[in-house]
Amino acid sequence: MNRAERRRREKLARTVPAGALLQEAARHHRAGALNDAETCYRAFLGRMPGHPQALHLLGLVCHQTGRNAEAATLIAEAERRAPDDAEMPYNLGNCLMLDGRPAEAADAFRRALGIRPKRGDALNNLGTALQRLDRLDEAIGAYQEALEAEPERTDALGNMAQALQAQIARLGLDAHVVLHGRVGDVAMVEAIQRSRVSVSVPVPAFAVGRFTVGSPFTFTVTWQRAVSFFEL
């Protein structure tokens, strides 16, 4: 941080009420003005250290500017302070995936699912983390749960097809295989792959970022909840 930026942040921290500062940060964030958003979030945290929503949102800014290790640290602290918020471990899992830490990501996705079970995006992302860890049976199970929760998820369908193909190849089979009660064959897997279409998954209005690691992942934040603590 240069001297001018430090002075600007100090001025904001002195002169702008806390509630207005957080709302201004969120406004910049939604508009894509990430440098201004970061300045306001950090100035706010100078006034309200440890505020979980501000830590979470600052973590998302760090993700959006390519600093996923720092993002994970901030969001993990936010989750520690607000353990009932399902968005925090979900977004943390996404950052950990991007930072090359799939085992920790899987744990984070499971915590998110403990708060909001049957969430299709979290189940799909859990499957991707498990697939990165070469735990194919568990990954297939997560993808199946994602499809049961949200049958329209073409990302989970395609990911499950890839995991089944990998499982069949590992077992050295070229025809039929029974995977823990799931019957699959090469023709079925190929049919699933052919059925996978390139779709534009709509990003919810409250989403602030998106990245792809084998399948679309969406970072989410509920803006109204994030700033409602300070309706000043």
Side-chain angles (χ1 to χ4, degrees):
M1 179 174 56
N2 60 37
R3 186 175 301 174
E5 179 64 20
R6 185 180 297 109
R7 284 199 299 266
R8 181 171 177 238
R9 189 177 299 171
E10 290 171 352
K11 181 179 178 181
L12 284 170
R14 287 195 311 270
T15 61
V16 180
L21 194 54
L22 183 57
Q23 292 183 22
E24 182 72 1
R27 184 181 68 79
H28 286 309
H29 200 165
R30 283 178 291 199
L34 300 181
N35 288 339
D36 290 335
E38 180 169 355
T39 293
C40 290
Y41 286 136
R42 291 193 185 278
F44 175 81
L45 285 165
R47 297 267 294 277
M48 304 286 293
H51 187 278
Q53 294 294 340
L55 287 167
H56 181 205
L57 294 169
L58 178 58
L60 293 181
V61 169
C62 290
H63 150 67
Q64 289 174 276
T65 51
R67 293 171 286 160
N68 287 295
E70 184 178 358
T73 298
L74 288 163
I75 299 174
E77 179 61 17
E79 183 193 1
R80 188 182 71 81
R81 293 172 179 273
D84 295 328
D85 189 323
E87 290 175 344
M88 293 178 182
Y90 172 75
N91 288 336
L92 173 60
N94 292 341
C95 290
L96 290 166
M97 284 293 289
L98 275 178
D99 199 41
R101 296 148 69 183
E104 294 173 72
D107 289 341
F109 291 134
R110 286 195 176 100
R111 292 196 300 275
L113 288 162
I115 302 168
R116 283 180 53 193
K118 304 302 180 184
R119 178 175 172 174
D121 52 1
L123 285 162
N124 180 61
N125 295 2
L126 173 61
T128 302
L130 293 168
Q131 195 166 346
R132 284 280 185 88
L133 294 166
D134 206 29
R135 290 155 59 178
L136 294 178
D137 275 353
E138 294 174 74
I140 291 166
Y143 295 139
Q144 285 189 315
E145 286 190 59
L147 288 166
E148 289 167 6
E150 299 176 18
E152 73 283 0
R153 292 203 72 94
T154 56
D155 51 359
L157 181 65
N159 289 337
M160 185 171 72
Q162 292 174 7
L164 282 166
Q165 286 178 318
Q167 187 74 295
I168 288 170
R170 171 177 298 172
L171 295 173
L173 300 177
D174 58 5
H176 296 80
V177 61
V178 178
L179 303 173
H180 295 287
R182 299 185 295 273
V183 179
D185 58 51
V186 172
M188 179 273 291
V189 172
E190 290 176 349
I192 292 175
Q193 282 287 64
R194 285 197 301 272
S195 72
R196 188 182 185 191
V197 294
S198 177
V199 297
S200 176
V201 179
V203 180
F206 51 80
V208 299
R210 184 174 171 189
F211 68 88
T212 299
V213 182
S215 62
F217 290 162
T218 302
F219 286 76
T220 62
V221 57
T222 304
W223 291 107
Q224 184 56 35
R225 185 172 70 208
V227 300
S228 63
F229 299 104
F230 290 94
E231 295 293 345
L232 302 180

